[in-house]
Amino acid sequence: NAEVVSLSIVTSGGLTGSVEGISDGICTVSRWGAPGLETNQWVMNGPMSEWTYFFSFKWENFHAMNEFAAYETGENFRVPMDLLEWPGWGELYKGLFNQRIYVGPPL
């Protein structure tokens, strides 16, 4: 049996949230946009919520590198934690927003 682990997070601005995972190495990630999950796509570490959507920056459409996606297009996926990678040096700041790159097979 897997044990559910919950971690509360409080930021310096006083915002709170939580990240839930499974202790057997499987976690929930979320993403917005086209359905499904493909290799090398960006995901949010954690289930769909207003916070993960906010920190995904999919709500904004004025940045050339971002493609807007409505909240309603979001999906959750259960993936092995070892198939999530931190962004490389050029985009390391995205990891601080809890964004990861999924490197597993398409789902």
Side-chain angles (χ1 to χ4, degrees):
N1 286 335
E3 177 183 344
V4 175
V5 178
S6 181
L7 169 68
S8 293
I9 299 171
V10 179
T11 66
S12 61
L15 302 174
T16 61
S18 66
V19 175
E20 290 187 1
I22 301 295
S23 61
D24 64 358
I26 304 294
C27 66
T28 301
V29 297
S30 51
R31 70 176 307 277
W32 289 264
L37 181 58
E38 300 292 329
T39 305
N40 294 321
Q41 282 188 322
W42 289 90
V43 297
M44 290 300 297
N45 192 14
M48 279 182 57
S49 72
E50 289 83 8
W51 287 114
T52 52
Y53 181 67
F54 179 79
F55 287 115
S56 75
F57 293 90
K58 297 306 284 183
W59 49 267
E60 67 98 344
N61 61 358
F62 52 85
H63 189 272
M65 298 295 291
N66 190 42
E67 186 176 328
F68 170 81
Y71 182 82
E72 294 78 22
T73 66
E75 290 185 83
N76 287 325
F77 300 92
R78 304 280 297 146
V79 300
M81 292 170 55
D82 62 352
L83 296 180
L84 299 176
E85 292 186 355
W86 266 73
W89 284 105
E91 297 179 303
L92 191 59
Y93 67 95
K94 292 181 178 182
L96 300 175
F97 292 114
N98 221 17
Q99 296 182 22
R100 302 292 185 270
I101 302 168
Y102 172 71
V103 296
L107 299 177

